[in-house]
Amino acid sequence: MKKILIPALCTFCITPAIADEAVVRPYIGANINFDFISYSPYMEDVMDNSGLHFSDSYFGIGLEAGVKFGDKNNIWNGGVAIAYDYAFDTSASVTNSYIKNAESGFSAWNIGFDNYIRVDDKDSKRTDLIFGIGVGKGTERSYWSIPDFITVDEKESTTMIVLKFGTNIQLNETVDWYTTLRDFIPSKDEIIKNVISIQTGIKLNF
């Protein structure tokens, strides 16, 4: 149901806006991010009992592309964005003597609808608050081994709702600086309860 409802809602919001405002401005962007993972109670118990604790904080990078639409002079502008975020593998904490080479990571892609609310327009350079909602898929990676016995290399994927809040500051006619906080909420929380990603990067406007 979530897979159908959110895209339908985005389409409903976007269609009249595009009809009213023919101005469409594409962009591409890149960011660095810090990600914080909360694990499910079940997973916390598994890690406590095994003496293997995967990291709850990661460093990553991300790519984004999309369009903004609406008159630049309007307080509200809309947008559609597709993003991919990758958190690098990070070593786990191991409190027993037999598990080795344990690490984990995370990646996600999502597509969503953004609202840009202008809060400043100094020297004809917009500063906007961003509010967004979207859907995507997140993948948690984990690896560990017991030498000469077993090697485990797992990937768990799930559909996610993505909530976004942040700022977008126009530096000049072609470059924006953005900072966002994204909350990835899994449709099932067997492993991960949620992921908070704090991102900052640059967009090039065309």
Side-chain angles (χ1 to χ4, degrees), residues 14-32:
I14 293 167
T15 302
I18 293 178
D20 289 343
E21 303 290 355
V23 180
V24 177
R25 303 179 300 280
Y27 70 85
I28 58 173
N31 67 70
I32 59 173

Side-chain angles (χ1 to χ4, degrees), residues 134-201:
V135 292
K137 178 162 287 189
T139 300
E140 186 267 343
R141 309 182 304 274
S142 59
Y143 175 90
W144 56 273
S145 67
I146 300 176
D148 302 322
F149 179 65
I150 188 173
T151 295
V152 177
D153 188 355
E154 293 184 323
K155 293 183 179 180
E156 292 283 342
S157 297
T158 183
T159 301
M160 293 184 161
I161 293 176
V162 184
L163 304 178
K164 181 194 297 184
F165 173 75
T167 60
N168 190 90
I169 300 172
Q170 184 181 3
L171 301 180
N172 56 45
E173 196 64 31
T174 58
V175 179
D176 293 352
W177 171 40
Y178 69 98
T179 301
T180 56
L181 184 151
R182 300 186 193 187
D183 187 5
F184 296 83
I185 306 170
S187 59
K188 56 180 182 179
D189 59 357
E190 297 173 0
I191 303 296
I192 294 176
K193 185 164 60 176
N194 80 323
V195 180
I196 298 293
S197 181
I198 300 172
Q199 309 174 330
T200 186

Side-chain angles (χ1 to χ4, degrees), residues 68-69 71-79 113-121 126-132 164-169:
K68 302 175 194 173
F69 48 80
D71 192 320
K72 291 182 180 179
N73 296 318
N74 291 346
I75 292 177
W76 176 86
N77 279 185
F113 175 73
D114 294 332
N115 295 278
Y116 294 85
I117 310 297
R118 190 187 71 210
V119 294
D120 191 19
D121 195 18
R126 287 180 64 115
T127 296
D128 294 281
L129 294 179
I130 307 172
F131 301 91
K164 181 194 297 184
F165 173 75
T167 60
N168 190 90
I169 300 172

